[in-house]
Amino acid sequence: MTRPFRRRILYLPGYDPIPPRRYRELYKREGAKQAAISGYDLEFGSRRDRTGFGWGVNGNFNGTSTETEIEVLVWADIVQGSMGQSIPATYAQLLQTAWTYIGTGALFRLMRLRRGPVLAALYPVVVLLAQLFVALLAGGLIGWLLGRLTGLGAWLGVPVALAITWIGLRLWQRIDGRIFAYYLMHDYAFTAQHLGAYPPALENRLSAFADRLAQVLSEDWDEVLVVGHSSGAYLGVSVLAELIASGRVRPHGPKLAFLSLGQVVPMASFLPGASRLRADLRALSARDELSWIDVTAPGDACSFGLCDPVAVSGVEPPDRKHPLILSAAFRQTLSPERQRELRGRWFRLHFQYLCAFDRPGDYDYFAITAGPLTLADRFAGRQHSPGRIARAVNGWTTT
């Protein structure tokens, strides 16, 4: 019997406080849809290796069997710790984050790449300020009316106005699961808090991820694939750069590959403190030990669609080899009906890379992660997608 193609995946989520089981359920649900559309078979189960959290996938692609084990590299606890902010602290974050991006010039340079992700970054600022205005207006009006009606004026009106304002802000905060203003504010503030540098807790976690990856590479796999989504994409860059710099990639071991999806690299690399990330981008882009494919879509307003993360960051080396910039081409890979269903759901579109396409093209997340071809073989001979943005507009290029 022919040995199945065996793949190990380490998945790095973005800034997400939700437990990793969400990604298992998403993979199983969307994988079943894609298999039915594309005509291959997927069976979902447990992993042999029970380290960390993950799941297993067995595939059959035109008679070729595959075995995949997926593990989530968890940093949700660090995300949760950064999100436990009071209302006043969140508004302080707003001021600090806005000043960081404006004062360093990063905001204006980012707008020269893509306006969509910049507008997405401005969204929580605008919404939180609007919430404050509405709460202050309601509190002021109710306080003024009660002061006039009771004849106590400011003695009653001011305390009532403050109380109503606070209640209003608390109500806004309670429905943030539908608005995402607080969530996104914490996300951008987390990146900006050290001017793009990784906080110590995250530095330690990235080193632990590199150790875990080294352990997996010592095992019997045909391919070890690191997948990074959103801000997990630039964390993946640093994990892989640390791993390779330490000499822990065996020359005759499993094929090593990196798939970055919906990346927001410039949001970090354009800040003055992100010297480590810029150094990692520069180093990783010239290495022979891996293949690296970067997939984005102009229709994803939360990512820097078709922006070459190495080139736009101003750190492209003369011997650059990676990444290959490809488009998920939502307008072609999603039917008009599906596009209408997703219209205005920009946060859901940011996760489309991990979901089924009803008109799949070259990019098929489940064929990539559970199919019988390595990432390098699947995209061998491909050129960058038309529309790739490679102009270096970053003002901070120290490494």
Side-chain angles (χ1 to χ4, degrees), residues 215-243:
Q215 181 181 355
V216 169
L217 280 168
S218 69
E219 300 167 356
D220 181 26
W221 304 100
D222 295 303
E223 180 182 49
V224 172
L225 174 62
V226 177
V227 179
H229 175 248
S230 193
S231 52
Y234 64 76
L235 299 185
V237 168
S238 291
V239 169
L240 284 159
E242 180 175 334
L243 173 86

Side-chain angles (χ1 to χ4, degrees), residues 181-398:
Y182 279 83
Y183 164 74
L184 289 171
M185 190 70 260
H186 296 319
D187 186 353
Y188 296 120
F190 184 80
T191 303
Q193 63 179 327
H194 296 294
L195 298 178
Y198 298 134
L202 186 54
E203 282 275 14
N204 294 335
R205 192 63 56 86
L206 294 179
S207 293
F209 292 162
D211 292 342
R212 179 62 180 146
L213 179 54
Q215 181 181 355
V216 169
L217 280 168
S218 69
E219 300 167 356
D220 181 26
W221 304 100
D222 295 303
E223 180 182 49
V224 172
L225 174 62
V226 177
V227 179
H229 175 248
S230 193
S231 52
Y234 64 76
L235 299 185
V237 168
S238 291
V239 169
L240 284 159
E242 180 175 334
L243 173 86
I244 293 173
S246 65
R248 290 182 285 176
V249 179
R250 293 185 297 148
H252 302 294
K255 298 293 185 182
L256 178 61
F258 179 36
L259 178 65
S260 50
L261 303 174
Q263 55 90 3
V264 292
V265 171
M267 289 301 296
S269 67
F270 276 40
L271 292 173
S275 56
R276 180 197 168 176
L277 173 58
R278 289 189 292 269
D280 293 342
L281 285 164
R282 182 179 178 86
L284 197 67
S285 68
R287 302 301 301 204
D288 292 317
E289 291 91 338
L290 83 165
S291 56
W292 176 8
I293 308 295
D294 182 73
V295 180
T296 52
D300 172 17
C302 294
S303 76
F304 284 85
L306 297 182
C307 291
D308 186 317
V310 177
V312 301
S313 298
V315 294
E316 187 172 33
D319 55 345
R320 171 226 168 91
K321 299 177 177 68
H322 318 285
L324 175 66
I325 307 300
L326 297 180
S327 175
F330 289 170
R331 289 187 178 181
Q332 287 76 48
T333 53
L334 295 171
S335 66
E337 296 77 18
R338 188 63 179 141
Q339 291 182 52
R340 283 193 293 271
E341 291 174 7
L342 296 173
R343 187 172 298 156
R345 298 173 61 189
W346 45 271
F347 198 67
R348 166 60 179 78
L349 274 171
H350 189 47
F351 280 85
Q352 179 58 41
Y353 309 96
L354 311 177
C355 298
F357 291 83
D358 56 357
R359 292 184 176 179
D362 289 341
Y363 177 74
D364 178 333
Y365 181 61
F366 303 96
I368 290 171
T369 55
L373 294 176
T374 66
L375 191 69
D377 288 341
R378 184 176 181 84
F379 294 104
R382 283 291 303 269
Q383 300 297 313
H384 297 299
S385 290
R388 168 182 173 247
I389 298 172
R391 58 184 179 273
V393 298
N394 189 9
W396 305 94
T397 57
T398 55

Side-chain angles (χ1 to χ4, degrees), residues 121-202:
L122 292 173
Y123 166 82
V125 176
V126 173
V127 171
L128 287 171
L129 289 177
Q131 290 177 1
L132 178 61
F133 174 78
V134 170
L136 285 169
L137 182 63
L141 285 174
I142 293 173
W144 178 77
L145 285 172
L146 286 177
R148 287 289 301 270
L149 291 173
T150 61
L152 295 175
W155 290 103
L156 178 62
V158 170
V160 169
L162 293 174
I164 296 298
T165 299
W166 180 254
I167 292 171
L169 291 173
R170 288 286 293 169
L171 290 174
W172 283 120
Q173 187 185 39
R174 292 187 66 177
I175 63 170
D176 196 64
R178 287 177 286 178
I179 299 174
F180 300 113
Y182 279 83
Y183 164 74
L184 289 171
M185 190 70 260
H186 296 319
D187 186 353
Y188 296 120
F190 184 80
T191 303
Q193 63 179 327
H194 296 294
L195 298 178
Y198 298 134
L202 186 54

Side-chain angles (χ1 to χ4, degrees), residues 51-64:
T51 304
F53 178 89
W55 61 94
V57 187
N58 291 328
N60 188 303
F61 291 74
N62 295 322
T64 302

